Amino acid sequence: MVKLRSLSICFLAALVSSCAALNAELVISNTVIAPDGYPIDAIVVNGQTPGPVLSAQKGERFQVNVTDLLVDESMNISTTIHWHGIMQHGSVQMDGTAMVTQCPIASEDSFVYDFTPANQTGSYWYHSHFQLQYCEGVRGALVIYDPEDPYRSLYDFDNASTIITLVDWYHVNAYDVGFTDNPASTLINGAGRYPGGPPVPLSVVQVTPGVRYRMRLMSMACKTNWVFTIDKHVFTVIEADSEYTTPLVVDSIQILAGQRYSFILVANQPVDNYWIHAMPNYDTTFTGGLHSAILRYDGAPPIDPINRNSTSQAPLLEQNLHALVDPAAPGVAELGAADVSLNLESVWDDNLRFLINGYTYTSPSTPILQQVLSGNLDVSDLQPYGSVYTLPGNSTIELSIPGGQPEGPHPFHLHGHSFSVVRSAGTDVYNYANPVRRDTTGNGESGDNVTIRFRTDNPGPWIFHCHIDFHLEQGMAVIFAEDTSDIAPGLNITSPWKQLCTTYNALAPSEQSVEQHRRRHIKRRIGH
């Protein structure tokens, strides 16, 4: 069980106005688990995957001690924890991105992540940001509740029981996943079934007739995107990636790796069991409870639901989502009129490496933040060469991200910022007036030119990458070194942070495992 000292009083804190400062213990270790009935070596957080829910109130300080007890070198024995969606204003050193903002935590060592997301609320998650490690199980939900939620009057419950996590689960080591290999199963809230496997109990979301719920849907996928539905129910979407949206009623939600949505679900159907489906992009079969969980009304028998076939009439389209607060995109409302405009063209090379503008991202030997703190402020001084872009502070940045690469759509995630999606995949319309604001968006198919804008108001080196973890490992990333001259003055760099690199750099290569695992993975993905 997780050791949540003061965190435990916040665990179901949706209706509580405040609670004590957050102190949590996360222990990362190896064990054998069988979430879909198939035993496999994995990595767990406090003995489980997904890990325990972390929850807080707006403005609370996080102090999370992460202890590394990993011993299985095939899954790496060093680790980090990234707080996906937390912008880390003034605390970039706590972002948790290996060799960008820190050295990994060595086995039998620990590190306290200490940060205060003062003005952020919503749905987040945490995961390892080292190699392919989160695919092995290092991931969990994180929620920051808003005592001034503008939609509070529209729902009755919002707590740990209304979180729905989606995970694609493999029956092999992540480094042995081949190019054409699909996951063995979909886990919803940590449980699922695979073809030909045992009928393990599926996750159940319990509801009471007539009650309204704020559901928090989180994709913790390594690769898969899903279309999420609940038989006979519709959803009122009110949040995308921790940013409030104007209400939008839909009956299905396509969700890509790293994305999160909040929607209001009204339990207004006859008392019964209803299928919760997460249809993956590689399969349309739900037979035997595949890719499924159960919505169970109080009073319904504990059995699997009947099949109710239906076709989505109101799917979620990103361009129909609009930011609720300060909805206009930053800068002049005209294509190419930002202070800095960049086109990020991704291609595959003959070795199945992704290149962005001609360069494939490889982790440097020294964290980029440490390079900056050592006085390397210009792009010519920063490694990895070709993958680092320096951005001026207090400027409007416009990124164009053409689609159509293999294994797409590619969900691009920006650390340190949310951004306005002024052109979404599937449309050629530019919306500068009230686009959705979020931190992860798909780049679509061939012919799409997804365009985003953000303001450089958060000095630091921030990675921008495809959140299909295999693709990040294959180099689909760049670094934005933002306002480099103002990074050091705003940080409190502690001796434990510095010690991470001293300890990590002293490890044997097999304990670091960076290059040998990269070579093994690339060869397996190619099929050699």
Side-chain angles (χ1 to χ4, degrees), residues 114-126:
D114 188 347
F115 56 91
T116 304
N119 296 310
Q120 287 192 263
T121 63
S123 306
Y124 308 87
W125 60 301
Y126 62 90

Side-chain angles (χ1 to χ4, degrees), residues 140-310:
L142 189 159
V143 177
I144 302 177
Y145 293 105
D146 185 356
E148 299 178 340
D149 182 348
Y151 295 122
R152 182 62 193 84
S153 64
L154 300 184
Y155 61 84
D156 304 302
F157 287 98
D158 175 19
N159 54 41
S161 72
T162 64
I163 295 171
I164 299 177
T165 62
L166 305 179
V167 165
D168 46 359
W169 193 246
Y170 293 86
H171 288 173
V172 296
N173 185 293
Y175 290 99
D176 291 326
V177 174
F179 171 61
T180 59
D181 293 349
N182 291 320
S185 62
T186 295
L187 306 183
I188 302 181
N189 285 350
R193 297 172 183 169
Y194 65 93
V200 300
L202 298 174
S203 295
V204 174
V205 177
Q206 196 79 30
V207 296
T208 300
V211 174
R212 305 164 302 169
Y213 299 86
R214 177 173 176 165
M215 313 301 294
R216 297 178 183 266
L217 179 65
M218 305 182 182
S219 171
M220 302 179 180
C222 283
K223 180 179 179 180
T224 304
N225 75 77
W226 291 278
V227 174
F228 180 86
T229 58
I230 301 179
D231 283 355
K232 306 294 288 185
H233 291 76
V234 298
F235 317 134
T236 301
V237 177
I238 58 170
E239 175 209 345
D241 297 352
S242 77
E243 296 279 353
Y244 288 119
T245 67
T246 58
L248 178 67
V249 178
V250 302
D251 61 10
S252 67
I253 296 174
Q254 183 184 29
I255 185 166
L256 310 184
Q259 292 185 327
R260 297 89 64 207
Y261 291 99
S262 278
F263 60 85
I264 296 169
L265 177 76
V266 181
N268 58 5
Q269 295 299 306
V271 171
D272 206 343
N273 295 291
Y274 297 86
W275 282 119
I276 298 172
H277 286 317
M279 184 178 72
N281 54 301
Y282 58 85
D283 189 17
T284 59
T285 302
F286 301 112
T287 303
L290 301 180
H291 319 301
S292 300
I294 298 169
L295 183 75
R296 176 164 295 150
Y297 279 66
D298 290 345
I303 58 175
D304 283 358
I306 63 171
N307 292 318
R308 299 176 173 91
N309 296 323
S310 62

Side-chain angles (χ1 to χ4, degrees), residues 29 57 219 411 517:
S29 62
Q57 292 291 305
S219 171
H517 278 159

Side-chain angles (χ1 to χ4, degrees), residues 64-66 93-94 102 105 109-113 494 496-497 500:
V64 184
N65 186 47
V66 176
Q93 75 276 21
M94 297 295 162
Q102 70 169 91
I105 305 165
D109 202 358
S110 64
F111 180 70
V112 176
Y113 289 92
T494 62
W497 183 88
L500 287 173

Side-chain angles (χ1 to χ4, degrees), residues 464-482:
F464 181 63
H465 65 94
C466 177
H467 220 290
I468 295 175
D469 216 28
F470 304 110
H471 297 171
L472 171 57
E473 177 69 2
Q474 292 170 297
M476 202 172 194
V478 295
I479 303 294
F480 295 126
E482 177 180 334

